[in-house]
Amino acid sequence: MDGFVAAGVLIAALSGSAAMADAPANNTALNIMTSTAAVQSGKCDEALPPLEALWNDADFQAADPDTAEQFRFERILCTLKEKGTAAAVALSAENEHHAGATIAAYDLHTFLLLSTSQIPAAAANVEEALKRFPDTAPKLTDMTVMATLLALQDDKTRYGLLDHLERVRWQIHDPSARLIIDTLRLHGLRSAVAAGDQGLATLYRADIAPDAYIYALVQGDGRLSDAAVPAAPVQPVVRAQIDEVKAYVANRPTDLLGLEYLIGLERSADEHEIALVQLSGILNLIAQNGLQKFEQPNAYPSLIADKAQLLLDLQRVPEALEVFKDGAQRMRGPGTIDFVIAYMNALIDTGQEKEALALEPHIALVAMNAGQKRALAATEACAFAYMKDTVRYTQSLAASADAHGIAAIRPYLCAGDVEGAAAALIARINDPDSRDAAILLMQDVKPQVPHSARDRDYVNVMAALRKRPDVLAAARAQDIVARTWPLRFEQY
């Protein structure tokens, strides 16, 4: 516990000749030593009585409020262990109104509410914290804030809370989570603009600007940006993002999600070789020390796919396919669905559609979500298109459609159906639920690195599709601004 070090200093002060004559101070020192020893020995039952005494010790609170608060937290955690969740939650709620409560008390209580699935109560608790401690609100941790925002089912509550967080200038502390918070901020910006709240919109714009991906979305949305005003240069933005996340990952090399985010940023800036060296180094450490030593182990299949993708981008196709093959042999289960689909696409791009379809037994079909089912169907449709299997192509194309009946674009191009692809692109542009995807599809970015003749044809045709008069007209009608970006974004 962080407070134990400070407590040692306090004990020394309280144990001096003057303090020894003072019974309350002496009792404080004894309670600190007793509770500290018990907690460090894992004996929460023995720690609770002295922790309760310290909770009510006004002299302790006055002498060292920060350490006193840490001991209150320890009482709550020991209560959780000894008496259960309900007792801990009740005590934590009481702690929020203790004379020495700070924003940290609200952070802990929100965590406990989330752990007991009291989501609306957690959101209300964060709101109260922001109102009571606006100056220190930025100290709220990522875990409690983001978990609350993402767990809320009611959009009105979620984005009302997000607006409040924006006004008190709360910022994400983990730079690898920027994309998540900025995606939420994009929705908040749209709501602020629609409501005419220019002050709030300005705050959102300022926070989104350092995120090149979301900034491009804002600049591509004619309802949020003026087509006549050039976008700001994004190369320095991406460079700053890479440096920030790289520093974060260097300090937390076991954070696999942070590494995954860094690899994506580096790919967008054409730093494939650097990304491959970094990724290979971490994968070697995982092989040597075991995946259990790393955070977010579920990211491992994605990292293997990233390594193969980097090799493809560097035109090292046989090595990339070997990485995919080895991963498919070693990994199984629901967490590998996206990996297997990526492997199938790589095989199809290199003319091995039968081998791609043979991988389907590796996919845990019952564990697939709707998006994964559509992605698999689109992949199958491409394979069947190249195999000239019209019946199964048509069936898979239909299965790739979203809830509005709009099929994936790529299968049409695999089948050589440019008009069908154009119609699907226009339908996506006109679909309000696909707005962000359509905005990105219409941006003139650096094309993905082609890995084969098939891939090259696809990249070229997609570039031509965006320039078609009917597609451009549909985009203008939906207030989509097609801008040019010197980066590679995953669009398709």
Side-chain angles (χ1 to χ4, degrees), residues 17-252:
S17 58
M20 290 299 289
D22 188 299
N26 196 34
N27 287 340
T28 299
L30 179 62
N31 287 327
I32 289 174
M33 290 187 291
T34 303
S35 61
T36 299
V39 169
Q40 290 179 339
S41 300
K43 300 176 180 179
C44 267
D45 56 333
E46 295 180 11
L48 281 174
L51 286 172
E52 181 178 1
L54 291 172
W55 181 290
N56 298 307
D57 189 333
D59 291 333
F60 185 25
Q61 174 64 40
D64 192 340
D66 292 339
T67 304
E69 182 173 56
Q70 291 299 315
F71 276 82
R72 291 200 302 278
F73 292 166
E74 201 61 55
R75 182 188 175 194
I76 293 168
L77 296 176
C78 274
T79 299
L80 177 65
K81 179 180 177 181
E82 295 297 319
K83 300 181 180 180
T85 304
V89 170
L91 189 61
S92 178
E94 179 184 339
N95 183 47
E96 288 187 322
H97 299 95
H98 190 281
T102 68
I103 194 76
Y106 282 83
D107 204 71
L108 174 59
H109 191 55
T110 302
F111 173 79
L112 290 172
L113 290 170
L114 289 169
S115 68
T116 54
S117 299
Q118 299 182 60
I119 310 303
N125 197 62
V126 176
E127 281 283 5
E128 183 179 332
L130 302 182
K131 292 175 183 175
R132 186 175 172 192
F133 299 106
D135 293 339
T136 55
K139 292 184 178 181
L140 286 171
T141 62
D142 294 356
M143 179 180 292
T144 54
V145 171
M146 295 305 297
T148 302
L149 288 172
L150 296 175
L152 281 166
Q153 299 298 310
D154 176 29
D155 279 351
K156 182 178 180 181
T157 303
R158 176 188 291 116
Y159 291 108
L161 177 57
L162 183 66
D163 287 348
H164 200 166
L165 288 161
E166 197 69 13
R167 288 190 171 99
V168 298
R169 310 309 296 135
W170 183 86
Q171 302 291 332
I172 198 85
H173 302 91
D174 175 357
S176 67
R178 277 297 306 268
L179 188 58
I180 300 173
I181 187 65
D182 289 342
T183 299
L184 296 175
R185 283 168 170 162
L186 177 60
H187 186 286
L189 172 60
R190 285 175 171 147
S191 297
V193 169
D197 190 338
Q198 293 305 313
L200 182 59
T202 297
L203 294 176
Y204 275 121
R205 289 183 191 279
D207 282 342
I208 286 172
D211 186 327
Y213 184 86
I214 302 299
Y215 177 72
L217 269 172
V218 171
Q219 291 297 306
D221 188 340
R223 299 167 192 171
L224 300 176
S225 67
D226 185 347
V229 178
V234 292
Q235 296 100 319
V237 174
V238 172
R239 182 72 265 154
Q241 285 182 269
I242 289 173
D243 291 344
E244 183 181 20
V245 179
K246 189 178 293 185
Y248 173 81
V249 170
N251 290 323
R252 293 189 62 178

Side-chain angles (χ1 to χ4, degrees), residues 224-290:
L224 300 176
S225 67
D226 185 347
V229 178
V234 292
Q235 296 100 319
V237 174
V238 172
R239 182 72 265 154
Q241 285 182 269
I242 289 173
D243 291 344
E244 183 181 20
V245 179
K246 189 178 293 185
Y248 173 81
V249 170
N251 290 323
R252 293 189 62 178
T254 60
D255 186 340
L256 297 185
L257 285 180
L259 176 65
E260 185 179 12
Y261 182 56
L262 174 60
I263 298 302
L265 289 170
E266 290 174 331
R267 281 188 64 205
S268 72
D270 279 341
E271 296 183 3
H272 301 86
E273 293 184 0
I274 294 173
L276 182 59
V277 170
Q278 292 168 334
L279 179 54
S280 296
I282 295 298
L283 291 177
N284 288 337
L285 288 175
I286 292 173
Q288 294 168 10
N289 300 290

